[in-house]
Amino acid sequence: MPRGWYGGGPGGWWQRQFRGGGYRITMPRQIILQVLDESKRHLSAEDIYLKVYQIYPTIGLTTVYRTLELLVRMGLVFKFDFGDGRARYELTRGDGNLSHHHHLICTNCGRIIDYDDFIEEELELIKKTRQELEKKYGFEIRNHTLQFYGLCKKCKAIKE
Amino acid sequence: MPRGWYGGGPGGWWQRQFRGGGYRITMPRQIILQVLDESKRHLSAEDIYLKVYQIYPTIGLTTVYRTLELLVRMGLVFKFDFGDGRARYELTRGDGNLSHHHHLICTNCGRIIDYDDFIEEELELIKKTRQELEKKYGFEIRNHTLQFYGLCKKCKAIKE
DNA sequence: ATATTATTGAAAATGATTATCAATAAGGAA
DNA sequence: TTCCTTATTGATAATCATTTTCAATAATAT
């Protein structure tokens, strides 16, 4: 049961933000949000397209791209680049400035692992860094990514 | 005067590694390395192509891509993705496992700022995280990136 | 219910990167 | 040094994710 999907009043938690921005609430948009909400993380545009297609077969890939762009602009979705040539998307989940978006990426097989260990120390460091950078460069930080590249267990075993 | 370019014996510091790997030392490769060494950071493949072209006009873009791929595979160069659709490259500079590759990226104008503040705390955190991740997931970490996204001074001013 | 206009989806366009392949040149052997 | 083997090169074509175009459609305000 996805967190927050039914909460926040009738019609879904994000609809308020849509109406406020002058955006229309359409079937494709509802279903894309639903798929993002029900899914594991880091889906590619095509992954999302295929899942939406199951529910709403007249969907077009173009619409998926356009909707994702909108959602990123609205801050509801994060866009990642893992270096394999396709972008990945995941819901922001509403924690605002303190969401974590950290991954281990196997440079051999492309496997991606999420992790959320060492959050406290990390938050501390990020907070300090953020303040320092805002002061020093006048940069307003909206979010950050921390990614580790290397070999996953399997690929390490194979290479030995 | 680029650090290390003339050091490490006759012919350049990286030539040993090339010969050891069975790779040939060619003019295009030499000049691409030279350009990377003399340049500021995070160049795109086309940036590199244009700079090499000044010195060696028969260079082909294909060769630039192929050479960069080789250099990344050899660990001499890092490849970054800032989310603007083109990869960026920069020399590893030989610090091995402790190089820093951190950027502030303006999501409005694409400006990229390097930073290296808070290195000590960060190294500490990275070291702990690395150990933990290697133990927990059997992942062998080769390197990492930390990137901040937001609005640079100028874009912030414009949006106000 | 109707008018307005944001949104959609198919198809074509774009732009970065990769594959193909004949010609060339690096480095070892004679 | 000269010859041979084969890695490397560069022009061209191909690929693949993402964008643009544009007429048709549908969401909202009136």
Side-chain angles (χ1 to χ4, degrees), chain A residues 131-148:
Chain A
Q131 286 170 355
E132 179 72 10
L133 293 176
E134 299 204 334
K135 196 166 51 164
K136 185 163 179 182
Y137 299 107
F139 216 97
E140 178 185 323
I141 290 162
R142 292 274 171 83
N143 68 71
H144 70 274
T145 62
L146 176 54
Q147 303 187 157
F148 290 91

Side-chain angles (χ1 to χ4, degrees), chain B residues 19 24-26 45-46 61-62 65-66 85-87:
Chain B
R19 297 196 197 279
R24 293 179 179 175
I25 293 165
T26 67
E46 202 188 346
L61 186 54
T62 308
Y65 274 108
R66 256 186 314 226
R86 61 181 60 189

Side-chain angles (χ1 to χ4, degrees), chain A residues 86-105:
Chain A
R86 60 182 59 190
R88 310 307 180 94
Y89 302 86
E90 67 184 61
L91 269 191
T92 300
R93 302 283 178 191
D95 323 75
N97 31 17
L98 296 183
S99 333
H100 310 112
H101 300 275
H102 305 151
H103 303 100
L104 290 103
I105 299 150

